[in-house]
């Protein structure tokens, strides 16, 4: 083992000297070289970026994996697979697991029974919801979490390393400044001492020799200061270039945010679609066994969650949905139409009654609205066919 004692001792001496300089600066006993204001602003901006990136990353991980225990296990598993350079297997979501339990329970109770068939229906849609959630988590991890984590574990580590080097160069520069200042003070003090040339020639020789040594010390200190200043300036430029790259990081994270929001919107649209389909299937099952009263007792959860407007005091909700087609027809004939637009159908949709329009995926229809209309619905036209259509099934085209 090559163990260089001199190098170790030299490194320890440099570390000690820097520590003394840093302590004296904190105590106000030594001057400190101030960084360029632009560089200071870049450092402050970089620290702010790092701190908020960490917070956003942690909270997004909590959003995607709410259970702290599962989250910790997922991070450990991800770390292990990353070190082994293997692809991380897909994790079963809670909704998928619930759906599988329901399907297993239906086998026990009998899929031909009302309860068993309902378990099958709900279980299948729970698995679809879980699959959509898993896809959302994977997409978010790839397009949002990974770039943020790469910045913290890659770019920020490089920036931190260069900033530490810059701080060391600054301490070395201030040490050289202090050393030069002391050398000049000693030289000036020696020059002001009494001249013993006439009375004591030997002392004069000693004084001249000491003056020469002090002059050499000043020259040496000036040379070290120039070298330290050059190294400091070079390191400050390297650090500045890295810190200015934070602007590119912001642009990259902005694109990642857009991808994350798009993945989130797709996920919620899928959930909305699946829940509409599930409600329709449950209504069909209820009608098939002659329990139509359940439809009145269990209204459409989407319509209930997004009412067209709050009821004013003293008013009551309609007694039944049978009056909706008449009201809709009245609105179509009496209220003016606001701007028409083309829309692309995202999913198939079967009309629930004569006031609605059935849709086929990928077809183009004309849509419009009228004042006072429920914001979750639009009027659609396909040739001579007209009817109400849900907004979540459409992609409005400009």
């Amino acid at each position: 083992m090559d163990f260089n004692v001199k190098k170790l001792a030299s490194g320890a001496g440099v570390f000690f000297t820097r520590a003394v300089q840093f302590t004296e600066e904190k105590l106000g006993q030594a001057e400190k070289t101030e960084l360029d204001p632009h560089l200071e602003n870049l450092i402050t901006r970089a620290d702010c970026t790092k701190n908020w990136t960490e917070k956003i990353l942690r909270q997004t991980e909590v959003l995607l994996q709410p259970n702290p225990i599962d989250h910790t296990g997922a991070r450990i598993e991800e770390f292990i697979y990353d070190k082994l350079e293997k692809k991380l297997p897909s994790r079963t979501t809670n909704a998928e697991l619930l759906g599988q339990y329901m399907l297993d329970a239906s086998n026990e109770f009998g899929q031909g029974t009302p309860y068993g068939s309902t378990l099958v229906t709900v279980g299948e849609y729970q698995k679809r919801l879980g699959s959509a959630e898993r896809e959302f988590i994977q997409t978010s991890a790839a397009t949002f979490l990974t770039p943020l984590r790469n910045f913290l574990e890659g770019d920020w580590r490089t920036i931190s390393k260069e900033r530490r080097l810059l701080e060391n160069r600054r301490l070395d520069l201030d040490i050289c400044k202090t050393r030069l200042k002391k050398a000049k003070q000693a030289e000036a003090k020696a020059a002001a001492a009494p001249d013993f040339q006439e009375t004591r020639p030997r002392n004069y020789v000693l004084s001249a020799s000491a003056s020469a040594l002090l002059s050499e010390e000043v020259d040496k200190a000036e040379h070290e200061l120039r070298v330290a200043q050059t190294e400091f300036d070079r390191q400050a430029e390297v650090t500045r270039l890295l810190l200015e790259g934070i602007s590119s990081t912001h642009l990259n994270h902005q694109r990642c945010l857009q991808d994350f929001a798009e993945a989130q919107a797709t996920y919620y649209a899928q959930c909305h679609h699946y829940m509409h389909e599930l409600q329709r299937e449950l209504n069909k099952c209820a009608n098939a066994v002659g329990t139509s009263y359940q439809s009145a007792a269990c209204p459409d959860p989407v319509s209930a969650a997004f009412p067209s407007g709050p009821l004013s005091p003293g008013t009551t909700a309609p007694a039944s949905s049978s009056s909706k087609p008449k009201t809709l027809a009245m609105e179509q004939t009496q209220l003016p139409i606001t701007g028409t637009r083309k829309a692309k159908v995202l999913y198939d949709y079967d009309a629930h009654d004569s006031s609605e329009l059935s849709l086929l995926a990928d077809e183009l229809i004309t849509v419009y609205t009228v004042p006072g209309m429920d914001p979750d619905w639009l009027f659609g036209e396909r040739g001579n066919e007209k009817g109400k259509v849900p907004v979540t099934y459409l992609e409005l085209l400009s």
Side-chain angles (χ1 to χ4, degrees), residues 339-350:
T340 60
R341 297 179 64 179
K342 289 292 185 181
K344 179 182 178 182
V345 179
L346 299 176
Y347 319 104
D348 292 342
Y349 179 75
D350 295 330

Side-chain angles (χ1 to χ4, degrees), residues 264-282:
Q264 212 169 17
T266 301
Y267 167 60
Y268 289 136
Q270 288 176 329
C271 291
H272 194 185
H273 170 67
Y274 290 146
M275 294 312 298
H276 263 301
E277 294 292 326
L278 175 58
Q279 187 70 11
R280 288 171 49 200
E281 292 295 330
L282 292 178

Side-chain angles (χ1 to χ4, degrees), residues 225-367:
L225 178 59
R226 287 192 295 270
V227 173
Q229 185 70 56
T230 302
E231 293 180 352
F232 171 77
D233 293 340
R234 185 187 300 114
Q235 186 59 39
E237 181 65 17
V238 171
T239 306
R240 182 186 63 80
L241 292 175
L242 286 174
L243 292 175
E244 288 178 346
I246 293 293
S247 297
S248 299
T249 300
H250 286 185
L251 292 176
N252 183 36
H253 289 182
Q254 179 183 350
R255 289 191 292 268
C256 295
L257 274 174
Q258 294 172 345
D259 294 338
F260 175 66
E262 184 177 347
Q264 212 169 17
T266 301
Y267 167 60
Y268 289 136
Q270 288 176 329
C271 291
H272 194 185
H273 170 67
Y274 290 146
M275 294 312 298
H276 263 301
E277 294 292 326
L278 175 58
Q279 187 70 11
R280 288 171 49 200
E281 292 295 330
L282 292 178
N283 287 336
K284 288 180 182 179
C285 293
N287 293 331
V289 296
T291 55
S292 59
Y293 68 92
Q294 292 184 4
S295 299
C298 302
D300 185 352
V302 178
S303 300
F306 300 97
S308 58
L311 295 176
S312 59
T315 61
T316 58
S320 66
S321 60
S322 61
S323 62
K324 288 184 179 179
K326 297 180 180 179
T327 304
L328 179 60
M330 187 180 300
E331 288 178 349
Q332 285 180 298
T333 56
Q334 294 182 358
L335 295 175
I337 295 174
T338 61
T340 60
R341 297 179 64 179
K342 289 292 185 181
K344 179 182 178 182
V345 179
L346 299 176
Y347 319 104
D348 292 342
Y349 179 75
D350 295 330
H352 292 177
D353 51 50
S354 59
S355 68
E356 297 182 4
L357 178 66
S358 296
L359 302 173
L360 294 176
D362 297 328
E363 71 171 330
L364 295 178
I365 63 173
T366 302
V367 295

